[in-house]
């Protein structure tokens, strides 16, 4: 097999569908706001890592309300929905019920209910055993039947008034054929097409790609109805199709004679899992790598995943700020900023759930050598605090405050500082920004201050604040696109795509205005002009991310942090 000749395409529509995404967000928000035990009626998604993460947050999946022991709890109805009778039963038990039914499933329930109340019988075209169907049947006033497709229409009796609806993840062709045949089975027929848009889009892409692919890999749970449907489409149209749940299910012989591979996934398959599969396919197809190139690639991933590159970026920013402030270069302050950032980012990354293609490196760092990497991170943090103490005790106190919040952030509610941090939306980006701006810009200004901090230093601190805030938000964008489990403490998650990028472009304009003001003040004009030129890089990156052109996580993180290195290099040359 020659990898060059094999074309690998990953579906643009792959990743969590909006219904699943919103249900997960809702549950995570609840776990932050409330201390009560949370149950989901059935698993939110069929993914082991996500389920484990939810368990750690005191969120358990139950199959029936009978499993609830303490009634002082919250029960979440998942995206599939449940019958109204079951919902009433849940409420009568006395526990708090939170409805995370997908709005598109609710629309289907409503269509059924309206016609059922007018005396219509209901036919649902879907999977008889699926939870969504059980929920939909509950709205039919006891006059509902389920067929899996047009081939079962002949088994039905004649109806006076009939409403035909689809399971939201049904294939449009199957539904249309069934509806057509049902015309003969009813005096009055209402066709309610309740197939959801994300499913239509996903299936359309699979149809288009399958007809031109030699091998289609469908990723997702074997018990997921929508994944099975994607597989059936692929099996029909592609030369070969496989349905897998994990990278280990791939084998070399699957790729014999294959020139074009298409990878798609079901609605509850996280993006990072799809990236893992894509990477595994590349590994199977590629020629044995030059050991030197392999080593370089591993070191690069290690530097990014282990936050070493981020620490170097913070050192670069400190250097830029010192030059911009016109204070003497202090290697001690640069080392302090780097150690501080390294410590916090390593500890936070170790606790992330779900990762992109950096999984092997993550395994190496945070599983195989977990104690070692934690020890290095804590020692770095303590070293940063010791260095801050040698400057003065006020610097130490502020550094200790930011470090304390940073290390407690990913933990549960028993840590007061963690709760403080999670109190308001976007808090994670703001605390990160204050911590960096303090260490990289304010401490150098304090060191260089005679009687008081100069106005140039104030501009430099503001410059650092804006730059780091943009970095933090962009990293958050990448995390959400990798389906990492993050909450509203992440700016992007809290405000959404368009407001995020309006804010970022506005901050970019302020960043440029800050530098331009320094230029007008005739302050180190060569340096200021160089930095203005260097910022064009961020403008390009912002524009690409705004158009959702976001690469896999390791590359994206590299592209974000490189901005600081570019600015430091231009500062050095200026
Ligand atoms: S597949 Fe469609 S209907 Fe089902 S949860 Fe996702 S968006 Fe909602």
């Amino acid at each position: 097999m020659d990898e060059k000749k094999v074309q690998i395409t990953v579906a643009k529509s792959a990743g969590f569908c909006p219904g699943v995404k919103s249900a997960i967000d809702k549950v995570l928000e609840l776990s932050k706001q409330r201390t009560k035990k949370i149950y989901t009626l059935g698993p939110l998604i069929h993914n082991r890592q996500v389920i484990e993460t939810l368990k750690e947050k005191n969120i358990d999946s139950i199959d029936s309300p009978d499993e609830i022991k303490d009634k002082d709890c919250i029960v979440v109805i998942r995206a599939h929905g449940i019958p109204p009778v079951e919902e009433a039963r849940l409420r009568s038990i006395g526990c708090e019920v939170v409805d995370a039914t997908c709005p598109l499933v609710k629309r289907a329930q409503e269509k059924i209910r309206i016609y059922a109340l007018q005396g219509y019988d209901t036919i649902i075209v879907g999977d008889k055993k699926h939870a969504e169907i059980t929920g939909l049947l509950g709205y039919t006033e006891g006059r509902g039947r389920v067929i899996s497709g047009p081939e079962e229409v002949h088994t039905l009796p004649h109806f006076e008034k009939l409403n035909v609806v689809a399971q939201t993840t049904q294939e449009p062709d199957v539904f249309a054929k069934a509806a057509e045949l049902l015309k003969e089975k009813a005096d009055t027929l209402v066709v309610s097409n309740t197939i959801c848009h994300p499913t239509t889009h996903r299936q359309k892409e699979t149809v288009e790609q399958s007809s031109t692919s030699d091998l289609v890999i469908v990723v997702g749970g074997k018990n997921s109805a929508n994944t099975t449907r994607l597989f059936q489409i692929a099996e029909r149209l592609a030369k070969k199709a496989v349905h897998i749940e994990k990278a280990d299910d791939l084998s070399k012989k699957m790729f014999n004679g294959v020139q074009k591979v298409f990878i798609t996934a079901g609605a509850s398959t996280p993006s990072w899992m799809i990236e893992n599969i894509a990477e595994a396919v590349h590994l199977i197809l590629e020629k044995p790598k030059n050991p030197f190139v392999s080593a370089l690639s591993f070191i690069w991933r290690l530097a990014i995943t282990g936050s070493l590159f981020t620490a170097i970026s913070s050192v670069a920013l400190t250097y830029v700020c010192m030059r911009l402030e016109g204070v003497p270069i202090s290697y001690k302050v640069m080392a302090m900023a780097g150690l501080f950032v390294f410590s916090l980012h390593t500890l936070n990354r170790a606790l992330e759930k779900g990762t992109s293609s950096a999984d092997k490196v993550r395994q190496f760092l945070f599983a195989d050598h977990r104690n070692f990497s934690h020890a290095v991170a804590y020692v770095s943090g303590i070293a940063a605090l010791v260095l801050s103490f040698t400057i003065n005790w006020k610097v130490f106190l502020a550094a200790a405050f930011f470090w304390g919040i940073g290390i407690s952030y990913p933990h549960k509610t028993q840590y007061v500082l963690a709760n403080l941090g999670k109190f308001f939306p976007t808090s994670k980006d703001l605390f990160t920004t204050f911590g960096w701006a303090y260490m990289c810009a304010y401490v150098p200004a304090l060191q260089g201050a005679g009687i008081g901090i100069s106005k140039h230093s104030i501009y430099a601190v503001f410059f650092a604040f804006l730059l780091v805030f943009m970095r933090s938000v962009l990293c958050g964008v990448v995390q959400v696109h990798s389906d990492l489990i993050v909450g509203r403490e992440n700016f992007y998650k809290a405000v959404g795509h368009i407001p995020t990028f309006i804010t970022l472009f506005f901050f970019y304009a302020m960043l440029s205005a800050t530098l331009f003001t320094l230029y007008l003040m005739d302050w180190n004009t060569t340096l200021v002009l160089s930095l203005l030129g260097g910022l064009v890089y961020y403008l390009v990156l912002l524009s690409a991310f705004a158009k959702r052109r976001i690469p896999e996580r390791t590359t994206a993180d590299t592209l974000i942090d490189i901005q600081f290195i570019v600015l430091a290099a231009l500062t050095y040359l200026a």
Side-chain angles (χ1 to χ4, degrees):
M1 276 170 289
D2 182 351
E3 197 202 0
K4 267 189 206 148
K5 290 185 191 156
V6 180
Q7 188 188 330
I8 301 164
T9 310
V10 177
K12 289 195 189 90
S13 57
F16 288 152
C17 71
V20 168
K21 225 177 216 160
S22 145
I24 293 176
D25 285 352
K26 216 172 235 178
V27 170
L28 290 175
E29 269 312 297
L30 277 174
S31 83
K32 273 185 204 143
Q33 292 164 3
R34 313 290 258 287
T35 48
K36 284 184 189 176
K37 174 84 191 162
I38 300 173
Y39 294 106
T40 64
L41 203 50
L44 273 190
I45 66 167
H46 296 285
N47 178 273
R48 188 176 46 80
Q49 270 162 295
V50 175
I51 298 292
E52 273 171 18
T53 307
L54 295 176
K55 260 186 190 301
E56 284 167 21
K57 292 178 186 290
N58 206 20
I59 304 163
D60 282 342
S61 160
I62 49 169
D63 294 327
S64 147
D66 299 334
E67 292 173 43
I68 298 171
K69 291 184 184 75
D70 180 5
K71 309 292 178 228
D72 187 26
C73 66
I74 300 172
V75 183
V76 179
I77 300 171
R78 59 184 170 163
H80 299 318
I82 57 173
V85 176
E86 200 171 333
E87 188 175 337
R89 187 179 152 219
L90 261 185
R91 291 189 193 275
S92 70
I93 289 173
C95 40
E96 189 181 336
V97 179
V98 173
D99 191 358
T101 308
C102 172
L104 300 173
V105 174
K106 272 203 172 299
R107 190 184 60 139
Q109 293 172 344
E110 199 48 23
K111 290 236 167 173
I112 293 174
R113 195 183 66 84
I114 289 169
Y115 284 103
L117 289 176
Q118 294 172 30
Y120 280 72
D121 283 272
T122 309
I123 297 292
I124 307 170
V125 186
D127 175 358
K128 289 173 186 135
K129 292 187 195 131
H130 196 273
E132 181 192 320
I133 300 294
T134 311
L136 293 180
L137 278 172
Y139 287 82
T140 61
E141 299 288 318
R143 296 189 306 277
R145 294 167 189 245
V146 186
I147 57 168
S148 55
E151 66 285 355
E152 288 182 22
V153 170
H154 73 275
T155 62
L156 297 170
H158 194 84
F159 300 94
E160 195 185 319
K161 293 195 291 184
L162 186 63
N163 177 25
V164 54
V165 300
Q167 185 175 354
T168 53
T169 52
Q170 184 56 269
E171 271 185 73
D173 280 357
V174 171
F175 178 65
K177 276 181 201 151
E180 185 58 34
L181 292 175
L182 280 167
K183 282 182 186 162
E184 306 297 322
K185 290 279 183 182
D187 298 338
T188 309
L189 177 73
V190 173
V191 179
S192 305
N193 186 347
T194 45
I195 300 171
C196 78
H197 306 304
T199 294
T200 312
H201 182 53
R202 209 177 283 256
Q203 289 184 356
K204 197 165 166 254
E205 194 185 11
T206 306
V207 167
E208 283 164 7
Q209 292 284 346
S210 295
S211 25
T212 56
S213 296
D214 299 317
L215 172 64
V216 176
I217 300 172
V218 183
V219 189
K222 291 271 164 80
N223 48 1
S224 154
N226 75 85
T227 313
T228 306
R229 266 192 204 105
L230 286 180
F231 174 62
Q232 286 162 352
I233 294 171
E235 216 180 17
R236 220 170 42 231
L237 300 170
K239 288 189 185 142
K240 207 184 328 178
V242 289
H243 179 173
I244 61 165
E245 290 190 327
K246 52 191 185 316
D248 292 350
D249 299 339
L250 292 169
S251 72
K252 209 163 187 164
K253 70 169 194 282
M254 284 177 188
F255 297 88
N256 283 344
V258 167
Q259 299 298 322
K260 202 170 169 212
V261 180
F262 175 62
I263 304 171
T264 187
S268 57
T269 308
S271 299
W272 54 264
M273 187 182 269
I274 300 155
E275 283 172 13
N276 281 351
I277 302 288
E279 191 178 351
V281 172
H282 276 287
L283 286 174
I284 288 174
L285 292 173
E286 76 183 358
K287 288 184 200 155
K289 251 191 196 159
N290 176 327
F292 180 67
V293 175
S294 302
L296 272 186
S297 161
F298 186 77
I299 290 167
W300 166 52
R301 288 184 183 282
L302 203 61
I304 300 297
T305 310
S307 303
L308 191 63
F309 193 62
T310 305
I312 293 170
S313 304
S314 68
V315 172
L317 177 64
T318 313
Y319 172 70
V320 173
C321 290
M322 284 171 174
R323 289 285 308 276
L324 201 54
E325 289 165 5
V327 301
I329 300 299
S330 164
Y331 294 109
K332 180 164 81 177
V333 174
M334 281 161 65
M336 181 190 72
L339 289 166
F340 176 84
V341 166
F342 174 76
S343 168
L344 290 186
H345 284 255
T346 305
L347 289 170
N348 274 271
R349 273 195 169 232
L351 292 157
E352 283 174 359
K353 294 291 172 186
T355 67
S356 60
S357 53
D359 261 0
K360 284 187 204 79
V361 180
R362 173 171 301 282
Q363 169 79 21
F364 175 84
L365 273 177
F366 302 125
D368 302 346
H369 301 90
R370 182 189 171 83
N371 292 342
F372 178 73
S373 46
H374 272 212
V376 170
Y378 277 110
V379 167
S380 305
I382 291 164
L385 294 183
V386 170
L387 284 176
S388 69
F389 192 73
T390 64
I391 296 171
N392 69 47
W393 65 271
K394 287 184 196 160
V395 171
F396 167 77
L397 280 186
F401 172 73
F402 286 121
W403 195 67
I405 287 186
I407 60 167
S408 61
Y409 215 100
H411 294 283
K412 294 271 307 168
T413 45
Q414 63 267 32
Y415 295 93
V416 178
L417 284 176
N419 283 331
L420 240 185
K422 285 172 184 164
F423 186 66
F424 52 89
T426 80
S427 57
K428 187 169 186 186
D429 293 304
L430 283 174
F431 275 112
T432 306
T433 307
F434 277 115
W436 275 57
Y438 180 79
M439 287 301 209
C440 303
Y442 191 70
V443 175
L446 278 180
Q447 278 242 300
I451 303 166
I453 293 176
S454 72
K455 61 175 182 257
H456 309 116
S457 292
I458 294 172
Y459 278 103
V461 173
F462 189 53
F463 169 81
F465 182 89
L466 293 173
L467 200 61
V468 177
F469 182 77
M470 290 170 72
R471 175 207 174 271
S472 184
V473 173
L474 283 179
C475 288
V477 173
V478 175
Q479 289 185 347
V480 175
H481 278 258
S482 300
D483 288 338
L484 272 183
I485 296 199
V486 286
R488 284 167 59 78
E489 69 273 11
N490 170 310
F491 187 89
Y492 183 70
K493 195 94 184 200
V495 306
H497 188 81
I498 293 172
T500 295
F501 281 92
I502 290 174
T503 310
L504 288 177
F505 281 112
F506 175 68
F507 271 42
Y508 183 85
M510 285 213 292
L511 205 53
S512 306
T514 307
L515 289 176
F516 197 62
T517 309
L518 283 169
Y519 176 78
L520 293 179
M521 288 162 72
D522 220 10
W523 177 257
N524 207 339
T525 49
T526 316
L527 171 60
V528 166
L529 285 177
S530 300
L531 291 177
L532 268 171
L535 281 183
V536 174
Y537 172 81
Y538 241 19
L539 189 59
V540 175
L541 196 67
L542 277 183
S543 309
F545 278 34
K547 289 179 193 155
R548 299 184 197 267
R549 289 195 191 133
I550 301 165
E552 56 86 24
R553 190 159 176 223
T554 310
T555 309
D557 285 351
T558 312
L559 291 174
I560 294 169
D561 279 348
I562 258 179
Q563 169 73 89
F564 297 92
I565 315 285
V566 168
L567 293 181
L570 290 170
T571 302
Y572 181 75
L573 295 172

